[in-house]
Amino acid sequence: MTMNPPAADPTSAEVRPFRISIPQAALDDLNERLDRTRWPDPVSGANWKYGVSLEHAKELAAHWRRSYRWREHEARLNELPQFATTIDGANVHFFHVRSPEPEAMPLLLTHGWPATNLEFLKLIEPLTNPRAYGGDPEDAFHLVIPSIPGFGFSGPTREAGWNTERVAKAWDTLMKRLGYASYGAHGGDAGSLVTRAMGVQRPEGLLGIHVLQLFSFPSGDPAEMADLSEDDKKRLQALANFTERAGFSAIQQTRPLTLAYGLSDSPAGQLAWNAELFNGFGDTVDAVDRDDFLTNVTLYWLTNTAESTARWYYEDAHGSGAASREPNRTPTGVAVFPHDFQSMRRFAQRDNPAIVHWSEFERGGHFAAMDAPDLLAQDLRTFFRRFR
């Protein structure tokens, strides 16, 4: 049993209030399935070598079944102003949190996989109300935090073609629909791709973009590799290590539906699939609070979006890829966290000639909004201050 948003008129531009109300029967079904989990029988001492360790998966599942309380998180989420609207035929759920500071800058935040727009909950108060955190009220933002179509309460997409470029265009429609003539944009993971695509598309009113990753790689020209620094060599090795372990990407780019049969039927399967990247393939276990992680997993389960979230990778792999090949000339800021993809500035600058801000941090990972929100909030304030 799952909960998905009701069908809306695909031609309507109405912005509808949204409230989360999961039927108790859906939560009971989840618990019953967790009680009946059949676990694999891996080789002794496998740990994280072959994937998420059995011990960690069992710990997470036990916490999900016995200690985690969805209703508490549901109530907390319902304290936030949230809405839904239809853009290009797809349902879009979003939080819209306005700052108490009337001159605040509108800022769009785009999540990644396997997260949802809940990824940004720890940023909301510091960004909308810096005065309350000892900061400068002139650094305040009005926040728009949507779920990518196919993710979370946006619900499954039921037509092909929802890739990076299409979402980027939809986000500009959303910001204009909310009355924002100018705004900034930030994202990580898939959100970085969407945000950079917006930079390439350069819609009127987009002031600048800020991302956690710029996925720029060597072109194959030997001259590019001739004078690599030791730091760049380490970053290339980190990329090689990621590619070796990122089996989820290869599967989701090619056979997302086959994968989804298991994930849609087994909450333990969805749990382990999402835990892979959240735990850095075993390098950063529990860097993200377990309840925060489980709220994201629960949302995947309750909305039955295993297939549509996996299909995002397929659509990007089989689309035109125009945004990834074209230069991004919008003013760009980059925040690089140590337990994450290590963007390489020489290649990033080649593909994004308007980089005007580059930060490197000593803590934080792929989901910096969740495990280093203080650092990310300050970097966002610093970057966007130039546009105020």
Side-chain angles (χ1 to χ4, degrees), residues 118-182:
L118 308 188
E119 179 180 340
F120 297 110
L121 295 179
K122 291 182 179 179
L123 285 179
I124 291 176
E125 280 297 315
L127 292 182
T128 58
N129 193 11
R131 187 193 301 267
Y133 289 77
D136 187 342
E138 293 188 2
D139 284 335
F141 296 96
H142 300 308
L143 296 180
V144 178
I145 313 174
S147 285
I148 293 171
F151 286 71
F153 287 118
S154 288
T157 47
R158 294 182 173 88
E159 65 170 352
W162 276 102
N163 59 12
T164 290
E165 288 84 0
R166 189 170 177 181
V167 174
K169 293 175 182 176
W171 280 183
D172 183 61
T173 298
L174 175 62
M175 296 304 282
K176 299 294 188 349
R177 185 171 294 178
L178 296 175
Y180 294 127
S182 63

Side-chain angles (χ1 to χ4, degrees), residues 176-380:
K176 299 294 188 349
R177 185 171 294 178
L178 296 175
Y180 294 127
S182 63
Y183 61 93
H186 161 79
D189 189 83
S192 281
L193 296 174
V194 171
T195 303
R196 184 186 179 276
M198 296 182 75
V200 172
Q201 293 168 5
R202 303 187 77 178
E204 183 178 358
L206 179 63
L207 300 172
I209 66 169
H210 183 280
V211 296
L212 297 187
Q213 306 92 11
L214 283 175
F215 299 104
S216 293
F217 308 109
S219 66
D221 181 353
E224 283 188 338
M225 310 295 287
D227 59 345
L228 285 180
S229 67
E230 287 303 313
D231 181 64
D232 280 336
K233 292 177 182 177
K234 289 179 181 178
R235 290 175 190 238
L236 283 173
Q237 184 59 53
L239 171 62
N241 293 341
F242 174 86
T243 302
E244 181 181 344
R245 296 187 289 182
F248 69 86
S249 181
I251 294 172
Q252 294 186 161
Q253 286 179 358
T254 55
R255 310 303 285 173
L257 180 57
T258 304
L259 166 71
Y261 291 114
L263 303 190
S264 297
D265 192 55
S266 168
Q270 184 74 74
L271 173 77
W273 193 252
N274 289 38
E276 185 86 271
L277 191 55
F278 262 103
N279 290 279
F281 310 104
D283 294 342
T284 55
V285 176
D286 285 334
V288 171
D289 177 83
R290 286 192 176 187
D291 270 19
D292 292 342
F293 165 70
L294 286 171
T295 301
N296 277 275
V297 176
T298 305
L299 189 50
Y300 273 66
W301 175 259
L302 293 173
T303 57
N304 194 20
T305 47
E307 190 275 335
S308 54
T309 55
R311 183 163 28 92
W312 164 272
Y313 281 69
Y314 183 97
E315 300 290 1
D316 261 15
H318 293 80
S320 69
S324 65
R325 293 192 300 271
E326 296 179 23
N328 157 40
R329 302 188 187 282
T330 297
T332 298
V334 185
V336 181
F337 289 85
H339 303 296
D340 190 16
F341 174 86
Q342 297 295 289
S343 300
M344 290 165 278
R345 187 157 190 172
R346 64 161 57 198
F347 303 126
Q349 196 83 48
R350 176 198 66 206
D351 300 335
N352 304 271
I355 293 175
V356 295
H357 174 93
W358 188 284
S359 297
E360 303 258 352
F361 294 98
E362 295 183 356
R363 61 177 169 87
H366 193 66
F367 300 95
M370 301 177 77
D371 67 9
D374 56 329
L375 299 180
L376 180 54
Q378 186 54 50
D379 206 60
L380 287 166

